[in-house]
Amino acid sequence: MSHPAPSRPVGVVVDAYSIGKFLPAAFQRLGADVVHLQSTPEFLASVPPPDLGPYIANVVHGTSDWDRTAKELAAYAPVGVLPGQETGVPPADTVAERLGLPGNPAATSAVRRDKYRMIEALRAAGLRCARQLKSADAAEIVDWAERDAGYPVVVKPLSSASTDGVSICRSAEEIRTAVAAVLGTCDIFERCNAEVLAQSFLRGPEYIVDIVRGPGGGRHVCGVWRYEKTETGTKWIYDKDILLDPDSPGVPVLVDYVDRVLDALDISFGAAHAEVVMTPEGPALVEVGARLNGNMEPAVHDTCMDGNQADLLALACVRPEEFQRRYAGRTMYRKHREALVVHGQTTREGTVEEIDEDVLARIAVRLAVPRLRPGDRMRPTTDLLSSPLRVFLVGDRPEDLLADHRRIQGLQDGVFRLAEPVGATR
C-alpha cells in the first residue's frame, strides 16, 4: 500500500489503549502527525479500545511479518516509534530497529516485559533485587519460601500490570490460593499465565521514579513520588502518591539506582516508570515499565513540575537536537507546587447506572477521573484495577492537600449510583 509523502513529521504510537492517549496531542503540539500501530489483528477485548480519532492512519500488524509492517510504516517517514501501553513495548523496539530510529534493542525486549527476566538482568548486573522463582507448581513455591525466601513472599503474573493478580503470602495455604488464582487465567493484556512469579518480600517504603531518556545520552527525571498504601489480607490497597521535592533525602539514591537499572535493562531511549522499595539495605526494584507512567496527566504534571513525559518523548522524536540541548547530561525536575494522586476506594459492589457529576465537581480540586462508566461492574477495592476513581490534587501547602484527601474519602462513594439488584424493592 502506498501513501502520499508526509508534509509534517510523523510519530508512531503502538497499542495506545491507556496512557498512550496523551502522545498524539504531544506530537501535534510540535507540528507533527501520528500513526497508530495495532500490534494484534483485533483489538484486545480486555481493555477499552484506543481512540483512533487523532491519528492519520491505523496500521494493523496482522501477521508475524514485522518486515512487512515496518515497510508499511516507512511510507510515513516516521521520526519515532513509542509504546502506548505494556503490549506495545516489544513491537516498538522491533519496528524502531527495522526503521533505524532511536529505540531499545529488540533482542532484549523480554527483559523489559517479563518480570522474572527483568530481575535476573539486575542480578547479573550486580544490582540489589529480590530473590525469586518462577514455577507452575505451588508445592515448589511453598518449598522455596520455607527453605530459602522466608515469609512473606509475593506471588504475581509474569507480565501484567496495575497490581493485577499480586498477592502477599504469609503461609503455604496463601501461596496455594494465590497460585491457583493466577495459573490458567489471562492477565489484563490477554497473555495466558502458564507460570507464576514468586519473589521475596521487599520491606520499606515504595517510590515511583519517572524518567525520559533521549538521543545523545540525555535524561530527565520527570518526578519522584512516594506511595502510601495499606495492607489488607494478601493485597496492598493503594491510597495516594505524594510528589517529593527533588532535593528530599533519599531521592538522589533512588535516581542513581534507577539510572543503573535502566542501563541493565537496555533502556537507552524513551520513557521509564520505575517502582522501587527503599529497603534497610538500600533501593531494590519492584518492576519498571518502558513506557509512560499510567498515572500521568500532562496538565497536572505541567502545573506542579516543569513538564511531563509525553511532551518530552515527543520532543525527543520530533526535535532531537532541542532535547539534547535542554536535557544534556542528567537533569532533574523542579517542583513548583505540592501534588497528590488519590486512588479512590470502595466496599460497594454492583453495576454502575449513573455518575453524579455534581458530586464529581465537589471532589475535583484539580482533576477527578472516574475509572468506571455506566454499565461497568463495581467491586470492592482490593488493588489498583478495582479503584473506581482517581483524583489529582495540586496546591501550595501539604496540609491543604491532606485535608482535601480526607474530604474526598467522605464523598467518593457518592460519585457512582448503582443499579438496584433485579427483584429489589424500595
Side-chain angles (χ1 to χ4, degrees):
M1 181 183 298
S2 61
H3 306 280
S7 59
R8 299 176 4 137
V10 172
V12 176
V13 182
V14 188
D15 291 351
Y17 291 89
S18 54
I19 195 64
K21 67 185 178 183
F22 294 119
L23 288 169
F27 275 97
Q28 289 161 358
R29 281 190 285 271
L30 296 173
D33 291 320
V34 278
V35 169
H36 184 262
L37 172 57
Q38 180 182 323
S39 74
T40 54
E42 304 293 336
F43 284 129
L44 300 179
S46 56
V47 288
D51 174 14
L52 298 180
Y55 297 91
I56 61 173
N58 180 43
V59 173
V60 180
H61 175 70
T63 69
S64 60
D65 188 351
W66 281 107
D67 287 330
R68 178 178 178 180
T69 299
K71 183 178 180 181
E72 185 172 354
L73 288 167
Y76 295 97
V79 295
V81 183
L82 304 173
Q85 71 162 17
E86 286 288 340
T87 59
V89 171
D93 293 342
T94 297
V95 172
E97 190 168 89
R98 279 167 166 74
L99 296 180
L101 296 171
N104 303 312
T108 57
S109 287
V111 304
R112 296 184 285 279
R113 283 290 292 121
D114 184 296
K115 297 176 185 181
Y116 177 83
R117 296 187 186 187
M118 181 180 293
I119 296 303
E120 290 306 300
L122 300 196
R123 199 181 320 282
L127 296 176
R128 186 180 298 102
C129 55
R131 301 189 300 280
Q132 63 177 6
L133 171 75
K134 67 173 178 175
S135 175
D137 184 351
E140 182 181 16
I141 295 174
V142 169
D143 183 68
W144 172 78
E146 296 181 348
R147 290 176 178 268
D148 182 15
Y151 290 111
V153 297
V154 178
V155 172
K156 58 186 177 182
L158 284 168
S159 61
S160 195
S162 298
T163 68
D164 172 39
V166 177
S167 295
I168 307 159
C169 303
R170 292 175 175 75
S171 68
E173 181 180 357
E174 289 185 346
I175 288 177
R176 286 190 286 268
T177 299
V179 170
V182 173
L183 280 181
T185 66
C186 293
D187 63 26
I188 60 174
F189 305 122
E190 300 184 3
R191 172 174 168 168
C192 292
N193 295 310
E195 294 179 297
V196 300
L197 177 61
Q199 295 179 324
S200 58
F201 185 76
L202 299 173
R203 299 184 184 277
E206 187 175 351
Y207 298 87
I208 300 165
V209 181
D210 292 331
I211 284 177
V212 169
R213 285 187 163 187
R219 84 91 169 97
H220 183 69
V221 177
C222 301
V224 178
W225 305 70
R226 185 179 73 247
Y227 278 134
E228 288 199 356
K229 52 190 179 178
T230 56
E231 199 174 323
T232 303
T234 61
K235 302 294 184 181
W236 283 117
I237 296 181
Y238 287 75
D239 179 35
K240 55 183 174 292
D241 312 339
I242 303 171
L243 179 64
L244 301 182
D245 291 322
D247 56 357
S248 296
V251 166
V253 174
L254 286 166
V255 170
D256 178 69
Y257 174 80
V258 171
D259 277 334
R260 290 181 288 142
V261 164
L262 301 190
D263 289 341
L265 300 179
D266 279 341
I267 301 177
S268 59
F269 180 86
H273 168 65
E275 297 173 341
V276 182
V277 171
M278 185 64 82
T279 73
E281 295 77 30
L285 186 74
V286 176
E287 59 195 54
V288 61
R291 40 79 180 167
L292 302 172
N293 179 348
N295 279 345
M296 198 267 298
E297 284 280 345
V300 174
H301 283 227
D302 290 347
T303 298
C304 60
M305 292 178 282
D306 51 357
N308 66 80
Q309 283 183 306
D311 281 337
L312 264 66
L313 268 183
L315 182 69
C317 294
V318 178
R319 301 175 187 171
E321 298 83 4
E322 182 178 341
F323 185 97
Q324 291 182 54
R325 184 173 66 254
R326 290 172 56 183
Y327 302 103
R330 299 185 169 189
T331 58
M332 289 284 290
Y333 66 101
R334 292 172 295 174
K335 179 180 170 184
H336 301 307
R337 303 188 73 189
E338 303 293 334
L340 287 181
V341 180
V342 180
H343 303 282
Q345 301 174 24
T346 186
T347 59
R348 304 165 72 205
E349 186 167 9
T351 301
V352 176
E353 184 175 64
E354 185 180 2
I355 293 176
D356 191 320
E357 298 293 343
D358 291 336
V359 177
L360 198 62
R362 291 168 61 194
I363 282 177
V365 175
R366 176 69 194 189
L367 178 65
V369 182
R371 303 186 69 192
L372 299 173
R373 297 172 295 180
D376 288 344
R377 185 75 182 173
M378 176 183 282
R379 60 185 176 90
T381 304
T382 58
D383 51 23
L384 282 176
L385 287 173
S386 52
S387 171
L389 179 70
R390 186 180 296 150
V391 184
F392 296 84
L393 305 178
V394 176
D396 295 320
R397 302 192 308 164
E399 55 266 34
D400 292 339
L401 298 190
L402 292 175
D404 286 332
H405 173 259
R406 291 190 293 270
R407 185 175 58 81
I408 288 166
Q409 289 177 312
L411 290 171
Q412 58 186 345
D413 269 344
V415 171
F416 301 95
R417 186 172 302 158
L418 303 186
E420 291 282 348
V422 175
T425 58
R426 293 184 181 274

